[in-house]
Amino acid sequence: MSGVTGLPGLAVTATGLCLFAAAVALARRGRTPEEGARRDRASLLGIGIQGLGFVIVATGPIRVALDPLAASAIGKAILTAVCLGAALALFLWARQTMGRNWSIVARTRMDHALVTAGPFAHVRHPIYTAIGLLLVGVALGLGHEPRLVAALPVYALGTWLRVRIEERLLRMQFGRTYDAYAARVNRFVPLVF
């Protein structure tokens, strides 16, 4: 039932968002700027635009179905849990695989390694795929699926800005090695895109 949610969906959404926020906060804990890091703060614009996609799906009235145990309410909660669970699992896997290379703002370090293992063997930007799944999960959980028509292109624009900056930094650091990796691994969805 598009445009309507249930209490189970709202509970799953709140739980999923809290877990994802905690995962990001834990990933950032204890991080200090490295000497010789090459940063591009222009990626902050991309982060802001991606965030606008979340504002689009998260705002507006929420219509809650009266029966929390209705099949539609339970079904939507399950779909929401799948999206949010997949987003969290993919983020954690990618973050663990990246190790010290991970940061929120685009940058490379002097000892930066080109990560091609784990989820990076399948897609070049698994964290953006995870955040896209988070966006879809939030829309489902709040009953705001129609808002994805506007939110997904906004999120895609912010992601494109960030990817362009990150890939430029990686090409500067790794040259042909990165080009060869990019030629064999898609950006966001294995074998598709």
Side-chain angles (χ1 to χ4, degrees):
M1 204 169 10
S2 180
V4 177
T5 191
L7 293 178
L10 292 175
V12 167
T13 303
T15 302
L17 285 173
C18 288
L19 289 173
F20 201 91
V24 172
L26 285 173
R28 293 200 65 208
R29 189 183 63 181
R31 306 233 4 128
T32 57
E34 296 89 9
E35 290 255 343
R38 190 178 296 151
R39 297 187 188 301
D40 193 328
R41 296 213 182 265
S43 66
L44 291 172
L45 175 62
I47 293 170
I49 294 171
Q50 286 174 315
L52 182 58
F54 279 89
V55 169
I56 292 169
V57 298
T59 57
I62 297 173
R63 294 179 28 220
V64 180
L66 295 179
D67 183 1
L69 299 178
S72 61
I74 299 297
K76 188 171 274 194
I78 291 169
L79 283 174
T80 301
V82 167
C83 283
L84 297 178
L88 181 60
L90 185 55
F91 172 80
L92 291 171
W93 186 25
R95 168 58 186 96
Q96 179 67 30
T97 304
M98 288 184 80
R100 290 177 33 110
N101 292 317
W102 181 80
S103 74
I104 290 180
V105 176
R107 60 108 174 108
T108 55
R109 296 183 345 266
M110 296 296 284
D111 64 343
H112 201 94
L114 180 60
V115 179
T116 60
F120 297 91
H122 307 286
V123 292
R124 295 194 316 258
H125 301 283
I127 290 178
Y128 297 140
T129 301
I131 296 170
L133 284 168
L134 184 72
L135 180 73
V136 171
V138 169
L140 285 170
L142 297 178
H144 288 171
E145 299 93 327
R147 291 172 175 264
L148 284 171
V149 172
L152 284 173
V154 169
Y155 175 76
L157 174 63
T159 300
W160 177 79
L161 290 170
R162 294 183 73 186
V163 163
R164 204 181 71 178
I165 292 165
E166 289 173 15
E167 290 186 352
R168 179 180 47 79
L169 288 172
L170 290 169
R171 277 192 175 89
M172 287 170 51
Q173 183 100 359
F174 301 107
R176 289 187 180 146
T177 303
Y178 182 78
D179 289 336
Y181 168 66
R184 73 176 185 276
V185 178
N186 287 335
R187 281 187 172 118
F188 307 109
V189 180
L191 307 173
V192 179
F193 174 64

